[in-house]
Amino acid sequence: MAMAYEETKLELFLQWLNVNGVELRGCKIKYCDSSKGFGIFSGNDAPDGIFLVIPLDLAITPMKVLEDPLIGPVCRSMFEEGEVDDRFLVMVFLTVERLRKNSIWKPYLDMLPTEFGSTLWFSDDDLLELKGTTLYRATELLKKSLKTLFEEKVKKLVEKLLVLDGNPESQVRFEDFLWANSIFWTRALNIPFPSSYVFRTGQPERECGGSNAPTTEMNKSSQISGSESTSQADAIFVEGLVPGIDFCNHDIKAAATWEVDGSGSLTGTPFSMYLLSAGVIPLQGEKEISISYGAKGNEELLFLYGFIVKDNSDDYLMLHYPVEAISDMPFSEGKLLLLEEQKGELRCLLTRSLLDTGFFPGNTSPRGTKSREYDDDQGVDYKRARRKIPLYANKLVFPEKFLTALRTVTMKESELQQVYSLLEELVGSGRERRPSETEVRTAIWEACGNCGALQLIVDLLNMKMMELEEGSGTEESDAEILKKAEGGASSNGSVPMSRNRWASIVYRQGQKELTRLFLREAEHALQLALSEDNQEI
């Protein structure tokens, strides 16, 4: 019965695509399973490597929303007054269209998932598995923010639009907006629209998709590549949904990519997006056509898309020192001023690949080890400093800008005075000019060295490990739980582990592993720094 329902939805959707000018040239859309939903599979031969062609007119973008006869006028005034942004427009559009009785988008919307594996959809028990991780706090904050946005703006706006549409009895729930939010983040692409297309639709660049359009590393923008008819210089990037291409699932080794054909010289359809084979050898038989969402760690994948990758080589660890803690320190005003002048970064992403250049590279990443040298681009001009470059400098895995910020935080009074003196030598006692960021960072390095910053990193990592292990145990205990779950339900008849719980444990185990590995790097670097400082004394 369930499969028959899915087949009926698919048939109506394929008819809708055909009516709207979409061409499935060398592919077919099929139901995969309950976890992946629908996917795109290779079908008939596509000699030119083009699987799918979709007119840009079918894309759901902020421009499309502002043109809509029902939603456009109300949203336009809010948008022009700066009350809402591009993404809000698309999410409100999805919310309204989902609740409209006679939406022209219904065949497409019916194909979209109604539940998600992202942490916003976790039960309270599932969310507890993430306690102590960055993702736990981020999920709580985002859900709270979305609920506030719904109560203050979305609910009244959507209800007003539905009344105008003749549906006064429709009930708008937070879950409807949460669904729209998840659909946007799991399916939106950063589309390089030809500027001639944007201006043709009557939307000035400053309004939608211009230089002020919001951007994020959490979006699927890695597939942007202009065709010969759409150069990067001619493109205006706009986030939106493209019915059809958005059914491609993720694989880091993508079978396809997507591009925009402005002139129609490649596809025969001007102003279109097409799905293009990424391999030299055509896909043989019926195989799933995947795209890559980009190099993303499990934290980002689980937060946005609702899945994780086991043994993810792109995993990362977030390390953060709270700026509010500085106000309680001695000489806080001077430290905060120096942080401002150097544009200090008290938060950093420690990617797994950084370990390849460290003291214990081992087999942490399949990419292999690589050497790294310090130069002016690192933020400190070591060549001008009188303090010697540490012998271990090219093995430090922690970003230089983060190290400089932590040097500032841990600075003693004598070191602070020395920094001021060094900067006066450079810019004059009257501060005839402002010191550059590099000059500030170099002066701080000269005065402080690495010991204080490295000790603080050790402390932060130890604290992070304590938070991660509280309530869930060690990295080894997580590994044992996952090992027992590999066979599904145990012999005593217990319920198999849910997908959400499994993903949470894999993610938190990875966080514990990275914390352990970076802590080992920090402790070893601290020992070397203390040894070098003692030798200089």
Side-chain angles (χ1 to χ4, degrees):
M1 183 69 74
M3 279 303 298
Y5 175 64
E6 299 298 340
E7 291 297 330
T8 301
K9 287 196 307 184
L10 177 56
E11 184 60 33
L12 291 172
F13 178 57
L14 292 174
Q15 293 174 13
W16 183 82
L17 289 177
N18 184 56
V19 168
N20 284 282
V22 176
E23 300 176 47
L24 278 71
R25 295 185 178 180
C27 68
K28 61 177 69 173
I29 300 175
K30 283 180 54 180
Y31 184 72
C32 299
D33 53 50
S34 58
S35 63
K36 294 174 71 174
F38 288 91
I40 298 183
F41 292 77
S42 56
N44 300 324
D45 290 338
D48 56 359
I50 296 177
F51 297 114
L52 180 65
V53 180
I54 301 172
L56 288 176
D57 283 346
L58 199 59
I60 300 176
T61 63
M63 297 177 291
K64 175 77 71 177
V65 177
L66 295 179
E67 292 170 354
D68 187 86
L70 172 67
I71 301 177
V74 177
C75 286
R76 178 176 288 276
S77 61
M78 295 177 68
F79 187 69
E80 290 176 347
E81 291 171 10
E83 293 182 35
V84 298
D85 61 16
D86 289 19
R87 293 169 180 163
F88 180 89
L89 295 178
V90 176
M91 291 178 197
V92 166
F93 180 85
L94 290 169
T95 306
V96 171
E97 293 301 322
R98 189 190 196 201
L99 296 171
R100 290 178 79 177
K101 290 182 178 178
N102 299 307
S103 171
I104 61 172
W105 297 90
K106 181 174 171 55
Y108 169 60
L109 299 178
D110 283 348
M111 287 281 289
L112 301 180
T114 56
E115 295 181 350
F116 302 84
S118 55
T119 55
L120 281 174
W121 292 77
F122 274 24
S123 67
D124 291 341
D125 287 342
D126 287 338
L127 201 56
L128 283 175
E129 296 287 356
L130 297 171
K131 200 156 188 182
T133 67
T134 305
L135 192 47
Y136 177 82
R137 183 65 175 153
T139 302
E140 284 195 321
L141 290 173
L142 180 56
K143 199 161 190 176
K144 183 178 179 182
S145 173
L146 288 174
K147 283 183 175 178
T148 300
L149 182 60
F150 175 76
E151 292 297 335
E152 293 182 354
K153 285 186 179 177
V154 176
K155 191 172 189 295
K156 292 179 181 177
L157 175 59
V158 173
E159 287 176 347
K160 176 181 178 181
L161 292 168
L162 290 172
V163 168
L164 290 174
D165 191 47
N167 296 293
E169 71 283 357
S170 295
Q171 297 293 315
V172 185
R173 305 168 302 153
F174 171 67
E175 287 71 21
D176 296 316
F177 179 59
L178 183 61
W179 171 86
N181 175 82
S182 297
I183 288 294
F184 177 85
W185 283 107
T186 56
R187 307 180 86 85
L189 300 170
N190 203 13
I191 310 165
F193 280 89
S195 59
S196 56
Y197 176 87
V198 175
F199 294 130
R200 183 198 71 168
T201 59
Q203 302 303 330
E205 180 178 349
R206 64 179 177 81
E207 287 193 350
C208 290
S211 58
N212 294 324
T215 59
T216 178
E217 292 181 359
M218 290 188 174
N219 215 353
K220 289 177 280 189
S221 57
S222 59
Q223 316 318 312
I224 299 166
S225 54
S227 70
E228 61 185 26
S229 54
T230 305
S231 67
Q232 295 285 348
D234 183 50
I236 296 173
F237 290 89
V238 181
E239 292 176 314
L241 277 65
V242 185
I245 284 181
D246 64 343
F247 287 97
C248 283
N249 290 309
H250 165 74
D251 194 320
I252 197 66
K253 297 178 180 178
T257 185
W258 52 264
E259 298 183 5
V260 168
D261 185 4
S263 68
S265 61
L266 295 175
T267 63
T269 305
F271 298 125
S272 63
M273 179 181 284
Y274 59 98
L275 191 64
L276 179 69
S277 173
V280 178
I281 303 174
L283 290 175
Q284 300 294 323
E286 190 175 278
K287 294 184 179 179
E288 186 169 5
I289 300 172
S290 58
I291 62 174
S292 172
Y293 294 2
K296 300 181 187 299
N298 281 338
E299 186 164 285
E300 191 172 351
L301 290 175
L302 188 54
F303 187 58
L304 287 182
Y305 306 112
F307 66 89
I308 55 99
V309 175
K310 197 84 160 59
D311 302 318
N312 191 341
S313 61
D314 294 303
D315 251 349
Y316 57 77
L317 186 74
M318 171 70 79
L319 207 56
H320 172 226
Y321 185 86
V323 66
E324 56 269 18
I326 300 175
S327 59
D328 297 327
M329 293 180 173
F331 320 110
S332 58
E333 289 186 10
K335 292 179 179 181
L336 288 169
L337 181 61
L338 286 174
L339 283 170
E340 183 181 341
E341 298 229 345
Q342 68 186 262
K343 294 184 180 176
E345 298 176 0
L346 292 171
R347 181 191 303 266
C348 77
L349 289 180
L350 299 174
T351 60
R352 184 178 288 274
S353 60
L354 285 171
L355 294 165
D356 295 340
T357 64
F359 300 105
F360 311 100
N363 296 314
T364 56
S365 169
R367 295 173 180 143
T369 58
K370 49 192 174 182
S371 61
R372 175 165 59 94
E373 294 183 1
Y374 276 77
D375 53 34
D376 292 350
D377 292 334
Q378 298 293 329
V380 171
D381 188 349
Y382 286 96
K383 295 173 184 176
R384 290 192 178 184
R386 284 165 287 196
R387 182 186 286 268
K388 293 180 181 178
I389 301 176
L391 297 175
Y392 57 86
N394 65 339
K395 291 289 186 180
L396 278 177
V397 298
F398 304 100
E400 182 58 55
K401 290 182 180 180
F402 184 60
L403 277 171
T404 304
L406 296 188
R407 289 177 190 130
T408 309
V409 170
T410 59
M411 202 179 289
K412 300 172 185 174
E413 181 180 9
S414 58
E415 293 168 338
L416 186 62
Q417 294 302 325
Q418 187 179 351
V419 169
Y420 288 153
S421 297
L422 290 169
L423 291 176
E424 280 186 7
E425 290 178 19
L426 290 169
V427 302
S429 57
R431 300 291 289 265
E432 284 78 9
R433 66 174 178 86
R434 291 179 65 88
S436 68
E437 294 172 34
T438 300
E439 287 172 334
V440 173
R441 292 187 183 120
T442 304
I444 292 171
W445 155 251
E446 180 86 64
C448 303
N450 279 330
C451 291
L454 289 171
Q455 180 62 65
L456 185 50
I457 290 177
V458 168
D459 294 342
L460 290 172
L461 287 167
N462 274 317
M463 189 181 306
K464 192 167 191 73
M465 186 65 88
M466 287 178 61
E467 292 173 351
L468 287 168
E469 291 182 345
E470 185 180 0
S472 66
T474 63
E475 183 184 338
E476 291 74 20
S477 63
D478 284 338
E480 187 63 28
I481 294 171
L482 292 172
K483 184 178 179 181
K484 289 180 180 179
E486 285 179 1
S490 64
S491 57
N492 62 12
S494 61
V495 178
M497 183 183 292
S498 70
R499 188 179 66 171
N500 287 352
R501 185 169 182 240
W502 177 83
S504 298
I505 296 172
V506 171
Y507 158 66
R508 81 183 184 210
Q509 182 194 24
Q511 292 290 287
K512 292 171 186 176
E513 179 193 19
L514 287 176
T515 303
R516 171 175 57 82
L517 293 173
F518 279 108
L519 179 58
R520 180 171 65 164
E521 291 284 337
E523 288 175 337
H524 189 71
L526 178 59
Q527 290 177 0
L528 294 174
L530 289 169
S531 175
E532 285 197 6
D533 276 11
N534 289 335
Q535 288 176 11
E536 288 182 8
I537 293 173

